[in-house]
Amino acid sequence: LDMAMRRAQQARRHFPATPIAAADAHVPVVIVGAGPVGLALAADLRAQGIRCVVLEKHDGLSQGSRAICWAKRTLEICDRLGVARPMVEKGITWNTGRVLLGETSLYSFDLLPVRAQKFPAFVNLQQYYAEEYLLDALANDTPLRWQHQVDTLTVQHDGVQLAVSTPLGNYRLHCDWLVAADGSRSTV
């Protein structure tokens, strides 16, 4: 576990609090959370020409790994976003499932019976690597606001009004669509 945490620390970049852009009082889509779902959505929206901003309350990507096994369909989506190749190269691929009882193998099954496919059935890869690849794919095209926390939201007839706090001050942000991608304990 200590080795895994050291790897996570090395893979994880830290970002200063992002200054507030006065011109951005309205954004079509606000994504709360810079995990794999939020970053993937931001990359997909960017590819569709839809402007968005990602708000992340922390100063970097995840520390540790909530996701570790990426399925073939997820890899197909990641391929569309330009990040599947490094995930497959870095991770451990597998196509066979096994059921064990202690040391005894009870059952084995093929998870990819048709081999002529672009991706394996699964890739084991820590979440922070996938996030790093997605972050790199976004480059500077999609604003990520680090250390920006949504405190309150108000649903209005023309969208959602957010009250956001940062170490640099508080501000309001209006959006047409708000996406909660900040995990199972989301208050959004």
Side-chain angles (χ1 to χ4, degrees), residues 40-125:
L41 177 59
D44 209 11
L45 289 173
R46 183 196 66 185
Q48 304 300 320
I50 299 170
R51 201 170 128 243
C52 67
V53 64
V54 178
L55 304 179
E56 172 55 53
K57 69 180 176 181
H58 299 292
D59 69 345
L61 301 173
S62 68
Q63 189 173 0
S65 191
R66 291 176 196 90
I68 194 161
C69 188
W70 308 86
K72 182 174 134 341
R73 178 64 184 131
T74 303
L75 293 169
E76 292 167 350
I77 293 167
C78 289
D79 188 44
R80 191 178 72 223
L81 303 176
V83 299
R85 184 173 177 213
M87 290 175 69
V88 172
E89 289 173 355
K90 180 77 174 173
I92 297 170
T93 63
W94 53 285
N95 295 313
T96 304
R98 292 179 37 191
V99 177
L100 302 171
L101 177 60
E103 299 288 323
T104 306
S105 179
L106 299 177
Y107 183 70
S108 169
F109 50 98
D110 191 346
L111 295 164
L112 196 68
V114 178
R115 293 285 184 235
Q117 297 189 41
K118 188 172 183 176
F119 296 105
F122 293 98
V123 171
N124 282 17
L125 179 72

Side-chain angles (χ1 to χ4, degrees), residues 88-167:
V88 172
E89 289 173 355
K90 180 77 174 173
I92 297 170
T93 63
W94 53 285
N95 295 313
T96 304
R98 292 179 37 191
V99 177
L100 302 171
L101 177 60
E103 299 288 323
T104 306
S105 179
L106 299 177
Y107 183 70
S108 169
F109 50 98
D110 191 346
L111 295 164
L112 196 68
V114 178
R115 293 285 184 235
Q117 297 189 41
K118 188 172 183 176
F119 296 105
F122 293 98
V123 171
N124 282 17
L125 179 72
Q126 296 92 329
Q127 177 175 325
Y128 50 83
Y129 287 117
E131 290 172 347
E132 287 287 344
Y133 301 143
L134 285 162
L135 186 61
D136 290 343
L138 286 171
N140 294 321
D141 295 341
T142 299
L144 274 87
R145 297 184 185 175
W146 301 102
Q147 300 182 49
H148 286 235
Q149 180 171 325
V150 175
D151 293 323
T152 61
L153 63 90
T154 306
V155 177
Q156 301 174 331
H157 70 282
D158 62 345
V160 181
Q161 182 76 29
L162 306 172
V164 182
S165 62
T166 80

